Amino acid sequence: MSKVQSVPKSPLSLHLSPEIILADFRMAMLSRHASLIGRKEVFMGKAKFGIFGDGKELAQLAMARAFQLGDFRAGYYRDQTFMMALNELSVQEYFAQLYAHASVEHEPASAGRLMNGHFATRSLNEDGSWKNLTKMNNSAADISPTAAQMPKLLGLAYASKIYRQNKELKGFSKFSVNGNEVAWGTIGNASTSEGMFYESINAAGVLQVPMVVSVWDDAYGISVPNEFHTTKGSISEVLAGFAKTDTAPGFEILKVKGWDYEALLETYLRAGELARISHIPVLIHVEELTQPQGHSTSGSHERYKSQERLSWEKDWDCNTKFREYILSNHIATADHLDQIEAEAKAQAKKEKEAAWTAFSGEIKKELAVAVGLLTDAAQHSSRKVILEQMAQELSKTINPIRKDVFTTVRKSLMLLRFDSNEAKSKLKDWYKAQGSLNFDRYSSHLYSQSEWNVLAVEEIKPLINEKSPLVDGREILQAFFDTTLENNPEFFAFGEDVGKIGDVNQAFAGLQAKYGEVRVQDTGIRECTIIGQGIGAALRGLRPVAEIQYLDYLLYGIQLLSDDLACLQYRTKGGQKAPLIIRTRGHRLEGVWHSGSPMGMILSSLRGMVICVPRNMTQAAGMYATLLKSDEPALMIECLNGYRLKEQMPSNLGEFTVPMGKPEILRSGKDITIVTYGSMCRVVLDAAIELAEIEISIEVIDVQTLLPFDVHGVIGESIKRTNRVIFADEDVPGGASAFMMQQVVEGQDVFRFLDSEPQTIAAKAHRPAYSTDGDYFSKPSIEDIVEQVYAMMHETDPKKYPAI
Ligand SMILES: Cc1ncc(C[n+]2csc(CCOP(=O)(O)OP(=O)(O)O)c2C)c(N)n1
Ligand SMILES: [Mg+2]
């Protein structure tokens, strides 16, 4: 017997009254007309792009009927009907997003920051504090890369497992009721080809989490049919090996037609129950869906679908079939259904108009003010004619956007540069005031703006005295994690080899035995879903530490970190947060894949996260403590060669904090400032000792965190004393050393204090060769630093420092 099941038709647990059926019909029509109107709006030039949920209404109505308060959705751009059915998306909001209305009030999912079809609910109050998620319908904030919703979906489901299994979390009643919440995922048939999909499915099967994944199968991914995507052309057949059996846990795999209303309801109710009660993951393959308007507004499907397919799609359109079902069961007359459809169409149109009026009205108001100020300024200017013409052209713009207004204003200010009068000042003042509004509209919330942002965490110094025992660095971390596990039930750690052996460097040694497998957990080798597991859990109020065994393997998860975690606060304009800590270790080991310090890559892709590069484990423990008091996501890169080095054990572990964005001066000097971080601190300090012997005095600064970077200008102050600076690290040339230079030279007004050209010291551009010699000739050595510093001094005073 096939392991893929169709749910037999049986009496529905949901009593199917005519009211329910007709309410679903109304919603299907409302959503469909929103799609049809949406496409027209794009073609009329009122929106840039549109992607719609038509052809997938019925399955989403069924999913909405099985969804309960406290549950989470993580899906993709086709899910408008589901969101509307839950009352989490009005048609007006739907159009506000299509127009990119930059307002949380009008477009609560992303405040106009995301293209249409990116859904989200707001988990946070305005001050950044959590709402009670158990009393809400929750949707994670969508992202565009296909299948990238899957790892987070796993984490959302996994959180239910943690809440059910860890009895100490009883007090976390805002997030869970005994782990009863189901995470509902949606994905397109073609997107199941992505590695992330398979990795997430496998992890969910292993973890046995309450995750219900719906595959909306419309047989295409843009123009490419299923046979090019999926072995055997069927995702449920491919996944059959994941199906649970009487003896082995796995997935419940269900198959249903996307136009069969009763079967859909049965299937979704059953899936919800299995996941909710027994924490069994479920995959629902919803087949025979259609795309009545093609993939998106970018092109028409007539280009690649056969006449036969197009006419099949017409006949088997789920809304058409739903209508036939209602009529054949005598639930309503054709006239009644026509009337419902007419009303739904009128409502969609009315809400679309309201959205347009709100969106365009705001801009038209700004435009009117700008035109008025510009016209006034023109009267007093020698450039009157051209300025008046610009004002007039602006006032005539059809469907103006903000860019029209500000392009004109900025160009006119350039023309007015020699003018000095009140009218011009008024225009300039208005432009400035709008600048801060536009910053809020388009650039706020890259980092947390709540009272729990990392910069607000108070510094508490470590307590160390001459009697503090000298221990291996890893023991400091171990003691820190021990006390944190003891005191913070929401804190837990997982990753490859983290559980039984307590990670490859043993900072969790013995802690699984002490706190149990729920708190300190081994995972499979699957970096991407380790991160997704962490994101989803952090979205639901937990404080996970997700471990990536070595920094080099962060690459497997960097896409998710970049596309999802790092931009979460930004893309929801403060509507969601996931204060996940990624723990990893890097720098200064050997070989192409174990020595990496790809900090430039990280810095460029993870804006929105805190990037910690502690030089030793005391600093790391203090940084962890700071992060756990804050609500920001972070990447912690411990020094691989620091676990066995001796440090003094502070007596206030878990309490002391290391401030973020505050460099520490490790050695004072007067000739040159060297700015560095992580393992390079020791190398530079050793070089400084050698340089002191030849009368060169180096000031060594550890930046401690690369993001945020030196918020108080400590480096600039040092440069004012030494007048020379070198930025040193073991990344490639032009990587993080260049970042540091840009931050200081551009950001701290030091150029006029520099007596020598600022320089960088970095590794070679290639990956480091293996073994000690490979390291020596690939990464900056003490000699490299000594020689570069000496060369700088030679240039300054060749007599005192003759060429070597
Ligand atoms: C990683 C990635 N690759 C490519 C795309 C471009 N793209 C957007 S949607 C899509 C097709 C998806 O098809 P399917 O998963 O079947 O969903 P459907 O649109 O048919 O509902 C593609 C290739 C993307 N968004 N992300
Ligand atoms: Mg598809």
Side-chain angles (χ1 to χ4, degrees):
M1 193 185 112
S2 166
K3 287 174 185 157
V4 179
Q5 301 175 19
S6 297
V7 177
K9 286 195 180 173
S10 62
L12 287 167
S13 12
L14 174 81
H15 178 63
L16 259 189
S17 65
E19 286 72 34
I20 286 180
I21 296 168
L22 293 184
D24 278 350
F25 182 76
R26 183 179 293 275
M27 189 52 73
M29 291 300 131
L30 182 67
S31 176
R32 175 62 60 93
H33 281 286
S35 298
L36 299 176
I37 297 171
R39 188 172 171 87
K40 287 192 189 129
E41 291 298 281
V42 175
F43 291 147
M44 281 169 68
K46 287 160 78 181
K48 292 206 86 168
F49 172 79
I51 192 155
F52 308 107
D54 47 317
K56 300 175 177 72
E57 289 90 348
L58 219 49
Q60 294 181 29
L61 289 166
M63 184 164 120
R65 293 243 171 249
F67 195 92
Q68 293 186 9
L69 291 179
D71 286 359
F72 259 90
R73 161 196 171 275
Y76 78 116
Y77 47 80
R78 300 287 182 209
D79 293 347
Q80 66 191 51
T81 314
F82 172 78
M83 296 300 289
M84 287 177 187
L86 289 183
N87 216 6
E88 297 301 338
L89 175 73
S90 68
V91 175
Q92 185 170 334
E93 288 164 351
Y94 175 81
F95 279 98
Q97 191 175 55
L98 189 77
Y99 303 136
H101 194 160
S103 150
V104 168
E105 188 198 334
H106 289 93
E107 202 282 87
S110 77
R113 292 177 178 189
L114 302 185
M115 235 175 221
N116 92 308
H118 289 78
F119 309 109
T121 49
R122 300 189 76 77
S123 308
L124 305 179
N125 297 306
E126 253 180 63
D127 65 358
S129 60
W130 290 103
K131 292 180 183 170
N132 186 334
L133 304 188
T134 65
K135 303 237 184 305
M136 292 172 49
N137 297 308
N138 300 289
S139 170
D142 290 354
I143 54 180
S144 282
T146 47
Q149 67 272 34
M150 292 296 298
K152 166 173 62 192
L153 173 69
L154 172 78
L156 290 166
Y158 171 70
S160 287
K161 199 173 175 86
I162 298 272
Y163 279 116
R164 189 171 286 182
Q165 291 188 345
N166 182 358
K167 299 299 170 203
E168 285 176 55
L169 289 170
K170 277 257 171 330
F172 285 68
S173 55
K174 276 185 172 181
F175 302 104
S176 179
V177 179
N178 191 35
N180 290 343
E181 303 74 25
V182 174
W184 301 82
T186 68
I187 184 165
N189 52 298
S191 303
T192 63
S193 307
E194 296 279 11
M196 281 191 179
F197 174 78
Y198 289 101
E199 190 177 314
S200 303
I201 291 287
N202 180 51
V206 170
L207 291 170
Q208 288 292 290
V209 290
M211 164 173 133
V212 178
V213 183
S214 295
V215 180
W216 302 149
D217 189 349
D218 55 17
Y220 283 84
I222 309 186
S223 64
V224 181
N226 264 347
E227 68 247 41
F228 290 98
H229 293 291
T230 310
T231 310
K232 301 180 186 177
S234 165
I235 193 63
S236 51
E237 293 304 325
V238 165
L239 296 180
F242 284 90
K244 68 182 174 57
T245 63
D246 292 344
T247 51
F251 265 78
E252 180 79 4
I253 300 181
L254 306 171
K255 216 155 87 164
V256 64
K257 309 283 187 216
W259 44 261
D260 188 341
Y261 180 61
E262 284 193 16
L264 283 164
L265 283 170
E266 287 286 357
T267 303
Y268 275 89
L269 291 173
R270 164 137 174 237
E273 258 175 42
L274 276 172
R276 198 178 307 284
I277 295 166
S278 315
H279 278 191
I280 294 170
V282 184
L283 181 116
I284 306 177
H285 184 187
V286 184
E287 296 179 298
E288 299 190 13
L289 291 169
T290 66
Q291 285 181 3
Q293 303 188 102
H295 175 77
S296 71
T297 51
S298 295
S300 75
H301 56 161
E302 284 81 9
R303 288 174 301 160
Y304 48 80
K305 285 181 188 162
S306 65
Q307 271 312 315
E308 197 189 358
R309 170 77 196 182
L310 287 167
S311 86
W312 179 88
E313 287 204 13
K314 222 164 176 219
D315 294 344
W316 293 85
D317 181 317
C318 63
N319 286 3
T320 309
K321 285 278 155 201
F322 192 22
R323 188 184 163 95
E324 287 170 16
Y325 162 83
I326 294 171
L327 292 174
S328 65
N329 284 284
H330 309 292
I331 296 160
T333 60
D335 282 352
H336 189 177
L337 295 185
D338 288 346
Q339 188 198 333
I340 292 176
E341 178 165 6
E343 285 166 10
K345 185 176 175 181
Q347 186 190 338
K349 190 161 171 255
K350 199 170 140 203
E351 292 201 42
K352 179 267 293 182
E353 274 157 14
W356 178 254
T357 306
F359 166 73
S360 60
E362 223 176 69
I363 292 172
K364 281 180 188 155
K365 255 192 223 156
E366 281 168 34
L367 184 145
V369 176
V371 167
L373 291 169
L374 199 53
T375 313
D376 285 351
Q379 307 316 310
H380 305 91
S381 174
S382 57
R383 314 302 302 271
K384 182 172 182 225
V385 177
I386 183 164
L387 286 165
E388 276 187 341
Q389 195 185 336
M390 284 164 74
Q392 229 192 13
E393 268 172 27
L394 179 60
S395 66
K396 283 193 206 143
T397 316
I398 300 164
N399 298 337
I401 55 171
R402 236 170 225 120
K403 183 181 171 199
D404 299 318
V405 178
F406 287 92
T407 303
T408 307
V409 168
R410 293 168 78 177
K411 282 188 196 301
S412 64
L413 282 170
M414 190 57 86
L415 290 171
L416 287 162
R417 64 192 179 279
F418 295 115
D419 291 27
S420 169
N421 55 55
E422 207 190 324
K424 178 195 164 179
S425 300
K426 277 193 179 160
L427 178 66
K428 211 168 128 184
D429 290 349
W430 181 81
Y431 169 62
K432 262 198 186 154
Q434 291 297 307
S436 62
L437 291 176
N438 286 332
F439 184 87
D440 176 64
R441 286 186 186 112
Y442 301 104
S443 301
S444 73
H445 292 88
L446 177 58
Y447 291 92
S448 170
Q449 296 188 189
S450 79
E451 62 186 273
W452 303 281
N453 75 79
V454 279
L455 296 176
V457 177
E458 193 194 340
E459 178 176 5
I460 300 170
K461 301 255 187 222
L463 295 178
I464 299 172
N465 57 35
E466 62 284 359
K467 288 191 194 131
S468 304
L470 211 54
V471 296
D472 284 352
R474 69 117 196 141
E475 291 177 78
I476 292 179
L477 280 182
Q478 184 191 27
F480 170 81
F481 290 135
D482 191 353
T483 173
T484 308
L485 283 161
E486 177 81 42
N487 297 320
N488 302 25
E490 73 277 26
F491 174 83
F492 64 100
F494 57 93
E496 297 153 19
D497 301 294
V498 168
K500 202 163 199 166
I501 63 166
D503 92 43
V504 286
N505 293 94
Q506 296 183 351
F508 279 95
L511 299 181
Q512 186 186 67
K514 192 166 172 188
Y515 296 98
E517 284 184 18
V518 184
R519 308 290 305 283
V520 184
Q521 209 170 97
D522 281 319
T523 67
I525 305 174
R526 47 176 181 80
E527 287 75 12
C528 172
T529 48
I530 286 173
I531 285 168
Q533 211 172 316
I535 296 174
L539 278 167
R540 294 188 56 195
L542 294 166
R543 292 307 310 255
V545 165
E547 179 166 320
I548 299 297
Q549 201 159 72
Y550 295 100
L551 177 59
D552 308 72
Y553 306 123
L554 191 75
L555 274 165
Y556 276 66
I558 196 108
Q559 181 264 326
L560 199 63
L561 289 176
S562 184
D563 283 332
D564 196 349
L565 185 62
C567 65
L568 177 67
Q569 290 242 15
Y570 174 78
R571 75 177 189 274
T572 58
K573 203 179 181 199
Q576 294 190 10
K577 60 181 173 184
L580 166 66
I581 301 172
I582 313 288
R583 173 180 187 232
T584 187
R585 47 191 72 83
H587 314 311
R588 223 68 222 184
L589 208 74
E590 288 162 12
V592 167
W593 293 284
H594 285 85
S595 59
S597 194
M599 302 308 301
M601 171 193 81
I602 289 168
L603 282 167
S604 295
S605 52
L606 301 189
R607 300 297 165 101
M609 287 181 68
V610 175
I611 310 292
C612 299
V613 280
R615 66 181 177 276
N616 61 36
M617 303 308 157
T618 310
Q619 294 303 99
M623 289 177 185
Y624 280 119
T626 304
L627 292 171
L628 288 169
K629 287 182 188 193
S630 90
D631 65 0
E632 310 219 35
L635 174 65
M636 176 77 69
I637 301 162
E638 296 166 11
C639 301
L640 246 169
N641 59 0
Y643 295 109
R644 306 265 162 216
L645 295 176
K646 297 290 179 197
E647 295 178 39
Q648 281 191 294
M649 178 77 87
S651 59
N652 58 344
L653 269 176
E655 281 166 31
F656 82 86
T657 55
V658 167
M660 301 287 158
K662 191 173 167 195
E664 194 175 322
I665 298 176
L666 302 182
R667 180 186 171 109
S668 300
K670 61 179 179 44
D671 292 326
I672 298 179
T673 299
I674 300 190
V675 181
T676 191
Y677 59 88
S679 298
M680 277 289 283
C681 289
R682 264 193 300 275
V683 182
V684 173
L685 282 170
D686 287 347
I689 293 168
E690 289 192 14
L691 286 160
E693 285 165 14
I694 51 173
E695 289 176 41
I696 298 173
S697 164
I698 297 301
E699 180 140 311
V700 182
I701 299 184
D702 174 10
V703 302
Q704 305 215 76
T705 59
L706 285 164
L707 294 174
F709 187 87
D710 189 12
V711 288
H712 304 294
V714 171
I715 300 167
E717 288 306 312
S718 167
I719 293 170
K720 283 182 196 165
R721 293 190 295 272
T722 60
N723 310 113
R724 288 182 187 82
V725 66
I726 294 174
F727 299 90
D729 75 356
E730 51 181 287
D731 192 6
V732 294
S737 56
F739 167 80
M740 294 193 289
M741 179 145 79
Q742 178 266 340
Q743 290 285 301
V744 175
V745 174
E746 262 182 41
Q748 297 190 11
D749 191 24
V750 295
F751 191 69
R752 61 206 163 99
F753 296 103
L754 287 170
D755 290 342
S756 297
E757 178 191 10
Q759 294 183 11
T760 62
I761 294 178
K764 295 276 190 337
H766 55 73
R767 301 258 182 130
Y770 183 53
S771 198
T772 307
D773 282 348
D775 175 78
Y776 186 75
F777 290 102
S778 303
K779 291 203 168 187
S781 64
I782 294 172
E783 291 69 39
D784 291 333
I785 295 164
V786 167
E787 285 168 14
Q788 190 160 333
V789 165
Y790 188 86
M792 194 182 250
M793 296 309 288
H794 163 71
E795 189 193 86
T796 314
D797 188 349
K799 266 203 188 127
K800 189 168 174 195
Y801 305 103
I804 306 167

